[in-house]
Amino acid sequence: MTNNKNNDQVLKFIKISKNACLPTRGTPDSAGMDLYACLEDNVVINPLEIKKISCGIAVEVPSRNYAAFIFSRSGLGVNHGITLANGVGVVDSDYRGEIFIGLYNIGDKPYTVRHNDRIAQMIIIETKYFPLVECENLSKTNRGNSGFGSTGK
């Protein structure tokens, strides 16, 4: 990101592994930053198998008003059946450890991940931090507690 004295405007990364690739954006206006596999050897993900893939980096999200969200790459999902094992990953602002990506092969063919392959994308999203309050009841709405298809198709 840009050099700026306001720490909310920079995203700091460190390489945990010397062979790691820092995130990049595919275009100047891309919201998502590509995350890369950091591997000693290729990793084969067989159909219906999950593998934890190292990115070899750590990130400093600037404050609790932001979080880094990790999403699948659409090309991997549509073309190869490779998606995230946990749907969407969340990197909280106080986490300083290495970023790992759980990849899940929902396809019918083995998929090989190689060093420096783009395996996920990360987006920084502003979050609201609300105090948690236990109460006796919640406000009433027309919908109430109807869910899971209750609004129709």
Side-chain angles (χ1 to χ4, degrees):
M1 296 184 68
T2 60
N3 261 342
N4 191 317
K5 291 181 183 179
N6 182 348
N7 279 338
D8 279 358
Q9 300 300 312
V10 298
L11 198 57
K12 297 177 183 177
F13 293 94
I14 61 168
K15 289 184 177 183
I16 304 288
S17 170
K18 65 179 179 169
N19 297 326
C21 184
L22 292 177
T24 62
R25 289 189 167 89
T27 69
D29 293 331
S30 294
M33 294 165 268
D34 291 326
L35 297 177
Y36 296 83
C38 184
L39 302 171
E40 295 290 323
D41 298 305
N42 293 345
V43 173
V44 176
I45 309 172
N46 291 306
L48 303 179
E49 188 174 47
I50 296 171
K51 292 284 177 91
K52 185 173 151 182
I53 308 294
S54 167
C55 288
I57 61 167
V59 63
E60 182 177 326
V61 176
S63 80
R64 74 179 189 180
N65 296 318
Y66 300 93
F69 291 84
I70 311 240
F71 297 94
S72 295
R73 291 186 45 79
S74 58
L76 285 179
V78 171
N79 298 327
H80 304 285
I82 302 299
T83 188
L84 295 187
N86 60 332
V88 174
V90 179
V91 180
D92 295 308
S93 63
D94 58 350
Y95 178 67
R96 295 294 185 271
E98 183 174 358
I99 294 174
F100 289 91
I101 308 298
L103 292 180
Y104 180 38
N105 185 347
I106 62 172
D108 59 0
K109 297 176 185 153
Y111 182 81
T112 301
V113 180
R114 294 171 175 80
H115 179 67
N116 281 346
D117 279 356
R118 295 178 298 163
I119 58 170
Q121 58 184 323
M122 181 171 64
I123 298 175
I124 306 301
I125 299 175
E126 187 172 6
T127 57
K128 297 291 182 184
Y129 192 88
F130 293 99
L132 307 177
V133 177
E134 182 180 7
C135 57
E136 295 295 320
N137 53 50
L138 303 175
S139 63
K140 304 279 186 220
T141 67
N142 288 337
R143 182 175 180 176
N145 61 1
S146 297
F148 291 104
S150 66
T151 60
K153 293 183 179 181

